[in-house]
Amino acid sequence: GQNIDQPTEMTATEGAIVQINCTYQTSGFNGLFWYQQHAGEAPTFLSYNVLDGLEEKGRFSSFLSRSKGYSYLLLKELQMKDSASYLCAVMDSNYQLIWGAGTKLIIKP
Amino acid sequence: DAEITQSPRHKITETGRQVTLACHQTWNHNNMFWYRQDLGHGLRLIHYSYGVQDTNKGEVSDGYSVSRSNTEDLPLTLESAASSQTSVYFCASSEGTSDTGELFFGEGSRLTVL
């Protein structure tokens, strides 16, 4: 079966760096997505990786290793507004998105 | 600005009633999706459409139906609501399979079935 694993919850301190991991087993691979979802709101797109390596976008970076079935989202200079759930999703060979359950990130002052 | 809107945002209904959740997008996207989101689960695909008159079942389609009569709208109907269908429902759209596949989500509809 298809599976996406990510930690349920993480806690970090304002101003620090946090890495949220995602491992996947899917039927084929057509890209990996990270979305941010604040409580009670809709998910919003953060990043897309289809090739191995690091994609940097401001304070957020996303890394992909296709051979290891692994990705991480790196958040730098954490701010209180980064408190949210972070969803990892993989697009399989049928171009269907398979979603992880999300990682709830709690930022403490 | 283009957007995707859902209505109603909150709905309480009784078991056995028919419920329709509306989704309207002004992105002019071909692809539209309905997901449900429950604690401890990732987003689960209910139905999706790649264009007018096209509809497809997702992984949790039992008890739900959709229709696509125009580009902008994909209403989701629960034929006979069950307590197991209490959830938050998200509609989403995307441009096509040739792009990154970025999804644009509506604000969600919280449905409670008593």
Side-chain angles (χ1 to χ4, degrees):
Chain A
Q2 307 203 90
N3 196 51
I4 310 284
D5 285 318
Q6 47 181 136
T8 302
E9 188 175 296
M10 299 181 70
T11 302
T13 305
E14 190 177 15
I17 299 173
V18 71
Q19 178 175 310
I20 302 174
N21 295 326
C22 171
T23 58
Y24 63 89
Q25 290 178 303
T26 56
S27 303
F29 180 85
N30 280 301
L32 185 143
F33 298 78
W34 285 97
Y35 282 77
Q36 180 189 59
Q37 185 177 25
H38 286 102
E41 298 183 8
T44 55
F45 172 81
L46 284 178
S47 68
Y48 169 72
N49 294 69
V50 67
L51 300 175
D52 290 351
L54 189 68
E55 294 279 344
E56 296 186 79
K57 195 184 289 187
R59 293 188 299 112
F60 292 11
S61 303
S62 56
F63 171 84
L64 174 66
S65 169
R66 288 172 296 170
S67 63
K68 294 182 179 178
Y70 168 70
S71 171
Y72 67 72
L73 181 69
L74 191 72
L75 291 73
K76 302 177 185 176
E77 301 169 14
L78 286 169
Q79 302 175 8
M80 297 304 293
K81 68 179 182 180
D82 297 329
S83 291
S85 289
Y86 292 86
L87 314 181
C88 175
V90 172
M91 186 170 281
D92 69 11
S93 58
N94 294 319
Y95 292 92
Q96 296 296 321
L97 277 175
I98 312 301
W99 295 82
T103 298
K104 183 178 180 180
L105 178 63
I106 299 168
I107 310 296
K108 295 186 175 179
Chain B
D1 282 350
E3 59 181 3
I4 178 166
T5 55
Q6 295 182 226
S7 63
R9 296 290 312 280
H10 300 273
K11 174 80 175 177
I12 300 174
T13 192
E14 296 177 341
T15 301
R17 300 254 184 171
Q18 184 181 79
V19 175
T20 296
L21 305 179
C23 176
H24 179 82
Q25 54 100 358
T26 58
W27 291 100
N28 200 34
H29 284 162
N30 287 322
N31 303 338
M32 294 185 74
F33 307 84
W34 273 105
Y35 288 94
R36 61 179 288 173
Q37 188 174 42
D38 304 286
L39 264 174
H41 292 273
L43 287 162
R44 291 184 289 177
L45 184 63
I46 305 171
H47 281 285
Y48 59 101
S49 169
Y50 287 148
V52 177
Q53 301 302 330
D54 176 73
T55 60
N56 305 280
K57 294 181 179 180
E59 64 173 303
V60 291
S61 61
D62 287 350
Y64 304 94
S65 63
V66 294
S67 60
R68 187 89 179 272
S69 59
N70 57 51
T71 300
E72 296 79 18
D73 298 290
L74 188 71
L76 177 71
T77 297
L78 288 69
E79 301 293 344
S80 177
S83 57
S84 61
Q85 295 176 308
T86 292
S87 187
V88 179
Y89 292 86
F90 285 101
C91 180
S93 69
S94 70
E95 191 171 335
T97 56
S98 61
D99 67 346
T100 64
E102 176 186 350
L103 289 175
F104 296 82
F105 284 86
E107 291 301 312
S109 295
R110 181 175 294 275
L111 177 67
T112 302
V113 183
L114 300 176

